[in-house]
Amino acid sequence: MKEIELQYRHPPDLLHDGEIPSDIRTEELVLNMGPQHPSTHGVLRVVLQTDGELVLKATPYMGYLHRCAEKIAEKVSYRQFTPYTDRLDYLAAMNNNLGFALAVEKLGGIETPPRADYLRVIFAELNRIASHLMATGSYGLDMGAFTPLIYCFREREWVMDLFEAASGARLTYSYITIGGVREDVPPGWVGRCREFLDYFEPKITEYNNLLSFNHIFINRTGNVGICPPELAVAYGLTGPCVRGSGIPWDLRKATPYCRYDEFDFDIPVGRGENGAVGDCWDRYFVRVQEMVQSVRIIRQALDKLVEGPVQAKVPRMVKLPAGEVYCEVENPRGQLGFHLVSDGGTSPYRLKIRGPSFCNLSVLPVLAPNCLLADIAALLGSIDIVMGEVDR
Amino acid sequence: MMTPSDVIELLKQNHASSVLSAVAEGPYPHAVIKAEGLTTVAAFLKTQPRLRFDLLRCISAIDWPAKNNIELAYDLISTSLGHAFAVKVVLDRADPRVESVSTVWPAAEWHEREAFDLMGVEFLHHPDLRRILMPEDWPGHPLRKDYQDIVEYRGLKFNP
Amino acid sequence: MFTYERPKVEYKGLSRPIVRLANKWGPIGIPLLLRFAWGIFFAALVFVVAFVWLVGRFVNPLLPWFVRDLVVVVGLLAFVCIVAIIGIWGERKVSGRIQSRLGPMRTGAWHGWAQSLADGLKFVQKEDLIPQDADKPLFRLAPYVALVPAFCAYLAIPFGIGWVFHDSDVGLLFVLAMLSIEVLGVIMGGWASNSKWSLYGAMREGCQLVSYEIPMGLSLLAAVASVGSLSLVELGRVQDHGWWSWLLFQNPFLFLAFFTYYIASLASCKRSPFDLPEGESELVAGFHTEYSGFRFVMFFFAEYAGMFAVSALATVIFLGGWNSPVPGLASPLWFVIKSTFLVWVQMWVRWTLPRIRIDQVMHACVKYLLPFTLLLFVGSSLWQLYDNPDHPLFEGFAAVLRFGLGCLGLLLLGLYFAGAAYGFYHRNQLVGQMVRKHLPGA
């Protein structure tokens, strides 16, 4: 194999921008937190310029999981693209499906039946629970607490069993399709879902006692990576990252979609209980509290579930009128947006996917300086990225 | 909370020379802005007390070879007031260049890098314009409609 | 038809005759071995016991002095290996049960007891990888520098009266010194790997280990000051009057010294919450990232040997060593039981707590633990000063306090067993009904 010379053109000031007093001669280390690393949550490469344990500069490089989803969207039909949306943020596949379906329905003027809407809400919130379980569990793992991860995975298994009973798949469902959901839930599913919710709610208190209020965990994550509210909004952060900085911004309340305005739930925000507002602990705890709110929403949705069809009458080959639309949904990680441009054909003319993790990650080079090396793992874990939607 | 027509009204009052056209109804209300006046309009949209569009959601680059232009759509929303709007800029396909809005919304830095990487739009005065998703030495801009996929990259051959 | 051609590998050195032997006799020998495995095991056991008894009875008086030493050293080596093997298996079972899963269940018929052996075999037959730009002599040397001192520490630890390799007057000092040499091995391993991440692990480890040795030593010194001897056998002999004579309950300072020693020993063994040097999530595996195969096994064994050694030290000094809670029933079995209990607590703590960051580790050591242990040392010495018949009032007060501390210890032990019994009795409900029922379609 031919020798491959890597000649990346680094940003112009990577190696010369450290804040070192001129009279001290210290050795700076350029450290590569490579694409393969246990705590980068996927294939992300971060080049760290460190002075001992202090990080002076962090530059993320991405694109290792770029699968050209947007180019593929121009070639396949609308229905065929739904499985591709699963794989964007593969931990919250239901929400991705929902965003794409809403975008297509908004442009095509398709009305979904009420049962489909309530089922969509139930599955989106269940997936929010599963995604946050994964986020909080793996955050514990990054901090060295191995046990909460396994407990969170144990609860995820039950959510995935519910999903498997309804859609047939455990991770990438393609369940929420254009016009509604693909098929109705099997008989007895609603009872099992209620059982799961009754079982799961006390577990959150257990995990709080084990991890969230653990003194060591608070010392690791409190006052680390503080993101002031103005910075958060300026850098386009959404989801638990911006709510952790104290801003009560949630798309489900601000621009409700899919009958979310019929439900009664709170928006947890970071209050700086264990450090400054907007530190890693706040972002993490917002996720934990969002799980409680999701359980609330699912209970209300199960009560409101009406009988009826679960699919609107949509032709097999979906053809949208010419035009464009930008539709966003509140994913567990932030706002997932689909900018859909149609020229009247059977496949999108241009589909731009706004991945929340892509925008959330842009704040890493700003928050990383003056962190310790161990805090980079805390920072990345609290921003909670999934490379599938960073790279698409 | 302002409706799109109110926003367009306000825009036209203050920057009538920059607004080329506007759509208030339909699934995508937006205003088309001249490329030269983008940063002033952007600053106005962000700082105007009745607008306060502080969250730049997305910059989408759309390639229209038939119309021989590249459109950039800036989707905005206000976290304090709750209304959404979009602003479009139309660029010449042969030489697409526009001022960067990263001074107004730092979120634009990475979105503009992606537009540069995948569509070839050049952003003037961008702090660090490099490819973001494709490798640094990738030829061409993949999301263009006339993009020809390469056959060999650094000694690796692709079997079509 | 697909035919498989075995690749021609050229074996060098000692491997060549071994591989030839294995190829010739393996296909017959291994099935035979497995068929008669239990028989061979018991036969070997009987043979070894008979041989040892015969030698002990008839040959021992005739043999030169170094044969006894050799036999004891080999026995200790075997003990250390068994401790490591059972420790690794125990860690996996314990971690599994804490995480509501089972741990190894298949290798070996009963709860995967042979898992460690299988792992050992797996590691031994792995390719010996040395990174290209690594410092080869140091890279090869580092595991030995880590393992050998950990083993040498056992030479001075008494398992019972007469059950010690060498009853040295400065036994405690010897053990502490041996456990400190491990630092060198770890730093060598981290540096020689030629990887910045390993270097980070090594540097962190150097800081941490060296700093935490001071509170460790000071806590032990508090006990030594109350007994007046550095000899471990003497320290154990003092505690042979039952539960209330254990050094743990002699004065409140020693009670606290036990806990500070335990915490400092966690740091010295690089165990969670102080396992930053091998912090898995950040540094992949810290200083032993680049080690694979048998070299990694050595580091791993060194860790478990060190764990048992510091627990053994705590047992001998604070928990009465080989003495039973009831005076008169001393036996090495008590020693092993108590040390195993402390090792189990180490594992319990590992799977419960997150990791502490290095600057917080140093902060905790220098700002909190060190002054506190100094206080304990001074307090314990002052207590000794006044706890004598010249001060009858204080002596009475001290006796009452001793009794109270002993009762407190009994209470804590009782609470532990009560908690364990409760957990065992309700083991189904604690995990949750959902875990044991199946969902539709499952």
Side-chain angles (χ1 to χ4, degrees), chain B residues 25-73:
Chain B
E25 304 300 326
Y28 195 60
H30 64 274
V32 182
I33 306 289
K34 269 198 213 151
E36 296 79 37
L38 180 60
T39 21
T40 26
V41 172
F44 170 74
L45 287 170
K46 181 168 181 198
T47 50
Q48 225 285 344
R50 286 169 62 200
L51 294 179
R52 282 207 268 167
F53 285 113
D54 48 6
L55 185 63
L56 172 67
R57 302 196 285 188
C58 188
I59 301 180
S60 321
I62 309 155
D63 187 22
W64 292 104
K67 302 187 215 166
N68 204 25
N69 59 25
I70 291 181
E71 286 177 359
L72 283 176

Side-chain angles (χ1 to χ4, degrees), chain C residues 10 78 99 123 132 145 150 202 231-232 266 270 289 355 363 381 390:
Chain C
E10 197 50 55
Q99 294 167 358
F123 275 117
Q132 188 174 2
V145 176
S231 158
L232 285 170
L266 279 181
K270 309 183 282 297
T289 313
R355 198 175 293 134
H363 189 92
S381 312
D390 290 341

Side-chain angles (χ1 to χ4, degrees), chain C residues 43-269:
Chain C
L45 200 64
V46 167
F47 177 73
V48 163
V49 169
F51 180 73
V52 167
W53 182 83
L54 278 171
V55 165
R57 188 90 203 283
F58 298 110
V59 183
N60 195 21
L62 312 168
L63 288 174
W65 58 273
F66 56 80
V67 174
R68 176 254 177 200
D69 288 350
L70 201 65
V71 166
V72 174
V73 164
V74 168
L76 272 178
L77 198 58
F79 180 74
V80 169
C81 289
I82 291 177
V83 153
I85 286 177
I86 297 186
I88 295 174
W89 173 79
E91 172 113 58
R92 292 174 69 164
K93 293 299 279 185
V94 159
S95 75
R97 293 285 171 166
I98 289 179
Q99 294 167 358
S100 89
R101 55 187 179 88
L102 291 169
M105 291 293 281
R106 287 180 180 268
T107 42
W110 180 78
H111 280 276
W113 63 268
Q115 182 68 47
S116 306
L117 295 172
D119 280 339
L121 276 174
K122 175 196 79 168
F123 275 117
V124 163
Q125 50 93 35
K126 273 191 193 267
E127 183 185 349
D128 183 22
L129 288 169
I130 303 182
Q132 188 174 2
D133 290 329
D135 192 337
K136 288 196 177 43
L138 278 183
F139 191 85
R140 290 195 181 103
L141 191 59
Y144 299 99
V145 176
L147 178 63
V148 170
F151 162 68
C152 283
Y154 287 81
L155 296 176
I157 296 182
F159 287 60
I161 304 274
W163 285 79
V164 62
F165 177 74
H166 185 231
D167 179 14
S168 156
D169 284 337
V170 289
L172 181 60
L173 208 58
F174 177 77
V175 174
L176 284 179
M178 281 297 127
L179 292 174
S180 318
I181 303 184
E182 238 189 285
V183 187
L184 278 176
V186 167
I187 297 185
M188 275 163 68
W191 170 262
S193 300
N194 194 45
S195 153
K196 284 174 189 160
W197 294 105
S198 307
L199 191 62
Y200 263 99
M203 290 302 117
R204 285 173 174 178
E205 213 263 342
C207 282
Q208 179 184 300
L209 250 70
V210 168
S211 322
Y212 272 88
E213 254 145 49
I214 307 176
M216 221 166 113
L218 274 175
S219 312
L220 294 175
L221 271 182
V224 165
S226 72
V227 170
S229 163
L230 278 174
S231 158
L232 285 170
V233 175
E234 187 60 37
L235 281 163
R237 200 177 281 135
V238 168
Q239 305 177 63
D240 59 1
H241 305 298
W243 180 266
W244 275 268
S245 71
W246 288 2
L247 279 181
L248 180 61
F249 308 120
Q250 291 314 302
N251 67 58
F253 298 102
L254 283 180
F255 191 74
L256 294 170
F258 169 67
F259 292 105
T260 55
Y261 168 76
Y262 197 69
I263 295 170
S265 73
L266 279 181
S268 139
C269 290

Side-chain angles (χ1 to χ4, degrees), chain A residues 272-284:
Chain A
E273 287 153 355
N274 285 308
V277 175
D279 58 10
C280 292
W281 192 86
D282 273 337
R283 291 191 279 271
Y284 158 81

Side-chain angles (χ1 to χ4, degrees), chain B residues 74-144:
Chain B
Y74 294 73
D75 295 296
L76 310 162
I77 198 167
S78 169
T79 56
S80 38
L81 298 173
H83 47 234
F85 195 59
V87 161
K88 273 189 160 187
V89 167
V90 176
L91 309 168
D92 183 25
R93 196 166 186 276
D95 183 27
R97 45 175 64 211
V98 73
E99 189 92 14
S100 162
V101 294
S102 50
T103 45
V104 181
W105 297 293
E109 276 179 37
W110 280 23
H111 284 116
E112 287 174 351
R113 273 179 70 183
E114 188 186 339
F116 164 70
D117 182 9
L118 298 176
M119 202 60 92
V121 177
E122 195 179 327
F123 292 90
L124 308 167
H125 308 304
H126 188 275
D128 173 24
L129 195 64
R130 312 173 269 141
R131 285 186 182 269
I132 190 169
L133 292 179
M134 306 306 294
E136 301 272 329
D137 53 356
W138 192 266
H141 299 282
L143 274 183
R144 292 219 174 169

